[in-house]
Amino acid sequence: MANNLSSRGLALEANKPVFFDVLNNLWDPSNPDGIVNIGLAENGLMQTEMKSFINSQKAAESHSLTYGDGFTGSKKLKEAMCHFLNRHFQPYRPLQPSHMCITAGASNAIENSAWALCDPGDYVLVGRPYWTTFRSIFGNRAGVNILEVTMGDIDPMGLDAILRFEEVAEQARLEGKKVKAILLCSPNNPLGRCYPEEVLKSYMRLCQNLGIHLISDELYGLSVWHNPSIDDPTSFTSVLSIDTNNLVDPQLIHAVWGLSKDFGATGLRIGVLISQSNPQFLNACESISLFSFPSSLADKAVTSFLANDMITDSFIFTNRARLSESYQFVTGFCRANGIPYTQSNAALFVWINLGAIAKDTTMTDDEILSRTRREKVYLTSGATYASEEQGWFRVVMAHPRHVLEEGLNRMLRALR
């Protein structure tokens, strides 16, 4: 039989993630020939604390072995999620359980948005650089397209960027492309910066004018830390905290959060999709929740965690301090070795320019990656984030010091 896959299956097979070989051979001192992973956006700084908390919880109850309260999260988890986000995201209107749909991770929450807000062939606007896995999340199953907004020399986090979004939306209209939403990653991945409140308000005005939705992926919202090199840092502002009166129809505003990044718990698979004024949207998401509902055991553990203010406050404080220390270590390494980087104060990574230190200045990003892979260190190039300039790479800094030291030294050795 030459081939027994559908055309859809063939297209999906070609999109298989490329980093699974890294996960199957991770470096640690007991496996010196493994691959040092400073490419995947995982937070390894708080695993000891999270493991300790989860292991301290009571054993599973019978209710955890059932379908629970439905496929969009238990009643207790939604109440705990509301309690937690009301404290830390400061929504203008306090969150209620009816405003949210719990999913098996933030990616599921975003894909639910694709299914419920868009038809196959529709477009979502995303500014460059961005996490290009959004293409797979929107496109692989829901058939929704990403339409990139090129920034040129404009600050992607500034007010002028809105003009670029408006221009691309108008060009799409002229070409017969149907734009249904703007997607923001706030704080931004890969730049590690927050959108000022006035910029978020301008995006809301634009969405109102265009009659499209605003989806704010706020997965790194609590991973904002002190950078001593920035005198007046921009803090995180959730779209939920903004009074939409005279800005935008609140039915158009949606937010996504989860425990993967801020709490170093990628494997727990708990995300939340929030829409405070669009019950039809959430009902549509609930109709497909069979395919995205989280484990009842994870639901139970996260409920206990988010309801415990003392634990979560301590966790957030410690995580921010460790992220700040890691950032200063990585950027200190960059300065000592002449590697340019951009200033940031949020998320888990540093945006660095390896092209600037390569022996051969004509070396492409793929050639640099090939060299780093030969040294068994995994990082991701600007192409993974639709960077408009060659040479830029994202280094994940949320690792213990010995991992960073090994990975950065291997990275440097690959280029010299």
Side-chain angles (χ1 to χ4, degrees), residues 171-311:
Q171 184 61 37
R173 185 189 67 80
L174 294 174
E175 295 173 0
K177 297 175 179 176
K178 192 170 184 179
V179 174
K180 294 299 293 290
I182 288 174
L183 173 66
L184 298 179
C185 188
S186 174
N188 183 268
N189 176 9
L191 297 180
R193 294 166 54 198
C194 300
Y195 289 92
E197 183 175 341
E198 62 269 21
V199 173
L200 294 173
K201 288 180 177 179
S202 291
Y203 277 111
M204 290 181 177
R205 293 188 188 97
L206 178 59
C207 287
Q208 178 67 24
N209 293 338
L210 298 176
I212 63 177
H213 298 266
L214 179 63
I215 306 167
S216 183
D217 175 1
E218 301 184 348
L219 196 58
Y220 298 95
L222 299 177
S223 297
V224 180
W225 31 268
H226 175 60
N227 178 350
S229 298
I230 299 179
D231 293 330
D232 187 23
T234 300
S235 59
F236 168 68
T237 300
S238 171
V239 295
L240 301 172
S241 70
I242 297 174
D243 179 5
T244 58
N245 189 38
N246 296 322
L247 287 175
V248 64
D249 183 343
Q251 293 184 89
L252 300 176
I253 304 300
H254 321 286
V256 171
W257 184 73
L259 278 83
S260 294
K261 315 302 181 181
D262 290 336
F263 290 116
T266 306
L268 277 180
R269 309 311 305 149
I270 295 289
V272 58
L273 175 60
I274 302 166
S275 189
Q276 291 187 282
S277 302
N278 199 327
Q280 280 188 304
F281 168 51
L282 291 180
N283 287 340
C285 293
E286 187 165 6
S287 74
I288 56 173
S289 60
L290 173 64
F291 313 111
S292 63
F293 76 103
S295 158
S296 296
L297 294 174
D299 182 309
K300 181 177 183 296
V302 172
T303 297
S304 299
F305 182 73
L306 294 182
N308 191 321
D309 294 347
M310 185 175 68
I311 290 288

Side-chain angles (χ1 to χ4, degrees), residues 146-166:
I146 293 294
L147 188 56
E148 297 176 352
V149 179
T150 299
M151 296 296 169
D153 57 359
I154 286 176
D155 179 4
M157 317 300 291
L159 284 168
D160 289 341
I162 285 87
L163 298 176
R164 290 290 172 91
F165 273 82
E166 190 171 15

Side-chain angles (χ1 to χ4, degrees), residues 369-391:
L369 281 179
S370 178
R371 290 195 176 206
T372 58
R373 287 304 295 267
R374 285 201 296 269
E375 289 291 339
K376 292 190 175 181
V377 57
Y378 176 72
L379 64 160
T380 47
S381 71
T384 307
Y385 310 98
S387 175
E388 297 176 42
E389 185 179 347
Q390 283 277 321

Side-chain angles (χ1 to χ4, degrees), residues 353-365 367-368 390-391:
N353 189 343
L354 292 182
I357 66 162
K359 282 184 178 180
D360 182 355
T361 57
T362 65
M363 194 179 298
T364 66
D365 288 1
E367 288 170 333
I368 292 174
Q390 283 277 321

